[in-house]
């Protein structure tokens, strides 16, 4: 089960936080994902006003919708624009297509009084298990061409390419044993090498809710941040919530391919309010507030 598009304020909370082996190396902050698939769409101007009223300073998009981008003009919000997975093949095979995409979706908005684009997301969870490898071979070529296009547009220093990954890209029984799925190791090593060379972070989407949803034996209190009777002991480290355990599993996986000090951004994390067992407003409120408090505490992971 994976959420490919999030409506604003549905799975709302994204911790935009850079950590380095459990040590926060820059300030932490909270942003939201802004999806455009919704039964009750609000105008982009209204959404931007809501974000600013709630002191949200970062927003992640799943595309570069023209109306949304116009609404973000002059807002001062830090923005991640997205490229859908079905565009990766053409962007990876054509430098002209990459140049055109950057021109139409990045350069045109990065003007005085424009949009503060910080990141371009190359695909959305392209390594997801349910895709059965459909997109994974296109990721590195698309990144390569887009990086060249950003350089041609003199934007490479200000705009960083990232690849939001689902947490199913890595696995282990304990955080310290984290490793990328064997069939992904080579491609992800190439991808991370490119990210590292260009000063980009590793972006990951972590949903403790999906662990609970997919496993009836998963201890519910471990999915939240209020303490648990099912703590996980891993050598000298003790984990009291699934978020920290998942994040340190990723750090261990990155260390195994030589990038243990890679900065990490949490691209998506949250709790649904409807649609599945355990999805309700009360649980979402408890999880999201617990996450906010956890992020802003600047304690990092074990």
């Amino acid at each position: 089960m994976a959420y490919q598009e999030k409506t604003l304020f549905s799975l709302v909370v994204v911790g935009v936080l850079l950590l380095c082996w459990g040590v926060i190396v820059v300030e932490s902050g909270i942003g939201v994902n802004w999806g455009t698939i919704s039964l009750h769409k609000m105008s982009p101007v209204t959404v931007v006003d809501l974000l600013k009223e709630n002191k949200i300073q970062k927003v992640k998009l799943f595309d570069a919708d023209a109306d949304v981008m116009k609404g973000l003009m002059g807002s001062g919000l830090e923005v991640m624009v997205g490229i859908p997975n079905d565009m990766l093949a053409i962007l990876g095979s054509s430098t002209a297509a990459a140049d055109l995409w950057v021109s139409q979706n990045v350069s045109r908005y990065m003007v005085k009084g424009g949009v503060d684009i910080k990141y371009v997301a190359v695909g959305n969870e392209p390594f997801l298990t349910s895709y059965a490898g459909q997109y994974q071979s296109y990721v590195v070529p698309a990144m390569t061409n887009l990086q060249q296009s950003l350089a041609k547009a003199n934007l490479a220093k200000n705009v960083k390419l990232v690849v939001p990954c689902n947490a199913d890209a890595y696995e282990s029984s304990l955080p310290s044993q984290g490793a990328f799925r064997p069939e992904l190791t080579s491609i992800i090593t190439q991808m991370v090498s490119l990210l590292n060379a260009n000063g980009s972070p590793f972006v990951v989407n972590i949903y403790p809710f999906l662990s609970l949803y997919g496993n009836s034996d998963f201890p519910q209190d471990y999915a939240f941040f209020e303490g648990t009777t099912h703590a996980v002991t891993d050598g000298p480290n003790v984990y009291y919530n699934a978020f920290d355990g998942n994040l340190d599993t990723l750090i261990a996986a990155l260390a195994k391919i030589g990038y243990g000090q890679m900065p990490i951004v949490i691209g998506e994390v949250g709790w649904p309010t409807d649609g599945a067992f355990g999805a309700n407003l009360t649980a979402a409120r408890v999880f999201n507030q617990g996450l906010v408090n956890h992020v802003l505490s600047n304690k990092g992971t074990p």
Side-chain angles (χ1 to χ4, degrees), residues 109-123:
Y109 298 110
M110 293 193 69
V111 296
K112 187 175 181 180
V115 183
D116 185 11
I117 300 173
K118 294 292 187 184
Y119 299 102
V120 171
V122 183

Side-chain angles (χ1 to χ4, degrees), residues 17-136:
L17 99 135
L18 298 181
L19 297 102
C20 187
W21 200 258
V23 178
I24 293 180
V25 293
V26 300
E27 77 280 359
S28 57
I30 303 294
V32 300
N33 285 274
W34 180 354
T36 53
I37 296 178
S38 174
L39 293 176
H40 305 286
K41 280 189 180 181
M42 292 181 283
S43 73
V45 172
T46 300
V47 174
V48 169
D49 286 344
L50 278 170
L51 293 171
K52 294 172 75 172
E53 286 173 13
N54 286 279
K55 296 181 170 44
I56 299 296
Q57 298 176 330
K58 306 169 191 291
V59 62
K60 173 172 166 284
L61 310 176
F62 295 89
D63 50 27
D65 180 85
D67 289 336
V68 170
M69 297 300 285
K70 289 175 185 175
L72 286 164
M73 295 281 282
S75 68
L77 298 173
E78 294 184 7
V79 178
M80 179 187 295
V81 297
I83 298 174
N85 290 329
D86 57 12
M87 292 187 65
L88 298 182
I90 183 63
L91 293 173
S93 62
S94 168
T95 56
D99 289 346
L100 182 61
W101 192 92
V102 168
S103 173
Q104 291 182 337
N105 299 286
V106 183
S107 300
R108 90 159 39 164
Y109 298 110
M110 293 193 69
V111 296
K112 187 175 181 180
V115 183
D116 185 11
I117 300 173
K118 294 292 187 184
Y119 299 102
V120 171
V122 183
N124 182 47
E125 301 182 342
F127 306 116
L128 201 64
T129 306
S130 60
Y131 290 147
Q134 181 179 356
Y135 302 111
Q136 64 189 43

